[in-house]
Amino acid sequence: MHHVVIIGSGPAGLTAAIYAARANLSPLLIEGWQSGGQLTTTTEVENYPGFSKGIMGPELMKEMRTQAERFGTEFLTGDVTTVNLSRRPFRLTIDEEHTVEASTLIVATGASAIHLGLSNETRLTGHGVSTCATCDGYFFRGKDLVVVGGGDSALEEGNFLTKFARTVTVVHRRDKLRASKIMQDRAMKNEKISFAWNSLVEDILGQDLVTGVQLKNIVTGTSTELPCDGVFVAIGYRPNTGLFKGQLGMDEQGFLLTSQGTATSVPGVFAAGDVHDTEYRQAVTAAGSGCMAAIDVERFLESANHHL
Ligand code: NAP
């Protein structure tokens, strides 16, 4: 039986672990088979305080994990397959094999990339379709690429891909970007980047490899084909909360609802990071809420009624 179990190994989960470990709560962190969260699929992180020259996402996560380990966090690699939050101690099953009991739980399961939902997108994933420029950009030296989306992710991916690609066309469904001003300025100044405004990707073309996309202009209603060698989909993220459906309060998009800091609808269960953040979704805000969740756990356990 653990005082606190943390699910998730992004900035939220690892910061919660650092704080819980330093509060002598001997946290168990379940890190999933893909440890480190979304930052492991990003390139340079320029806005995480403390790194004036920037730091690569995977390096930042490695540092956070080492820091959590240093204070005695126990790590378990595996995916949580079921949770029972109906009474304390909470019971979790990992990879349908081990069972873990937890007096309190911090949910820091983050969010995953959203797909366009086209059948050819699924068929051609790994054959020209990707959601991770850091992972796959290298394979597109001298190629023509499409990035779908108008947020920070799309422009970050687009900028990064110009290191390899000949051209990058950012396809966006409106005529205004959602991305931050600095990312917009950088993309506008990049000679390799152009924009297809008011455009939806209707289909991804190609037999064995991507050869183009079919775009529909939503203002004129016309469809055109744009030849390309790769399509990077960067249209946002969905919270990873399927496990908790029916057990924790969530909004219609699946983000966990919290009140009084990081408390969820079940006493003793706390949420940190992108899993409950519909507003900010930054590495630093995730880390901040991980810290808050660990402090909330400590206070919860200290209150006489909640000691198991
Ligand atoms: P986002 O801000 O939600 O943007 C998603 C973009 O995809 C929007 O432009 C949206 O269009 C478009 N989109 C959504 N569904 C679509 C669909 N079905 N078809 C076509 N286009 C679609 O997501 P994000 O860019 O992943 O960013 C998420 C959060 O992480 C943000 O808070 C962002 O600031 C942060 N982030 C920060 C950095 C950084 O600071 N370096 C880097 C990456 C992400 P509309 O605009 O029309 O809604």
Side-chain angles (χ1 to χ4, degrees), residues 34-86:
Q34 255 196 315
S35 178
Q38 290 171 55
L39 281 189
T40 57
T41 63
T42 197
T43 48
E44 194 150 17
V45 180
E46 291 179 325
N47 51 9
Y48 199 89
F51 300 93
S52 60
K53 296 186 177 66
I55 182 168
M56 297 303 278
E59 183 63 24
L60 178 60
M61 297 324 296
K62 208 170 114 211
E63 282 294 325
M64 281 193 205
R65 193 185 186 282
T66 307
Q67 195 176 355
E69 208 166 19
R70 178 178 150 214
F71 294 111
T73 301
E74 188 189 337
F75 287 89
L76 179 57
T77 306
D79 289 325
V80 179
T81 37
T82 57
V83 288
N84 184 345
L85 307 179
S86 58

Side-chain angles (χ1 to χ4, degrees), residues 38 42 44-47 114-116 148-156 171-174 176-180 183 199-201 234-237 274 278-282:
Q38 290 171 55
T42 197
E44 194 150 17
V45 180
E46 291 179 325
N47 51 9
I114 299 176
H115 301 279
L116 291 165
V148 191
D152 279 329
S153 295
L155 297 195
E156 191 172 272
V171 174
H172 184 36
R173 63 183 177 183
R174 292 187 293 140
K176 268 203 186 72
L177 293 166
R178 182 179 292 278
S180 55
M183 299 295 278
S199 298
L200 286 177
V201 175
I235 58 170
Y237 294 87
D274 283 7
T278 55
E279 194 72 29
Y280 304 104
R281 291 182 279 173
Q282 305 297 306

Side-chain angles (χ1 to χ4, degrees), residues 169-279:
T169 307
V170 176
V171 174
H172 184 36
R173 63 183 177 183
R174 292 187 293 140
D175 62 358
K176 268 203 186 72
L177 293 166
R178 182 179 292 278
S180 55
K181 189 78 179 61
I182 186 167
M183 299 295 278
Q184 293 196 30
D185 289 348
R186 203 173 288 173
M188 298 290 177
K189 278 189 200 139
N190 190 323
E191 285 176 359
K192 286 188 177 179
I193 295 182
S194 59
F195 290 86
W197 301 108
N198 298 313
S199 298
L200 286 177
V201 175
E202 278 187 317
D203 202 0
I204 300 177
L205 312 171
Q207 271 308 317
D208 302 324
L209 291 173
V210 168
T211 56
V213 285
Q214 187 174 308
L215 300 182
K216 181 171 184 169
N217 184 304
I218 55 169
V219 177
T220 61
T222 51
S223 291
T224 48
E225 273 186 32
L226 175 66
C228 66
D229 306 291
V231 179
F232 286 80
V233 179
I235 58 170
Y237 294 87
R238 179 170 292 134
N240 297 320
T241 51
L243 263 182
F244 308 101
K245 271 215 173 93
Q247 301 197 66
L248 293 178
M250 48 185 86
D251 69 12
E252 67 273 9
Q253 288 178 294
F255 287 94
L256 296 184
L257 299 173
T258 50
S259 60
Q260 292 174 332
T262 62
T264 67
S265 57
V266 172
V269 181
F270 301 86
D274 283 7
V275 79
H276 80 126
D277 182 358
T278 55
E279 194 72 29

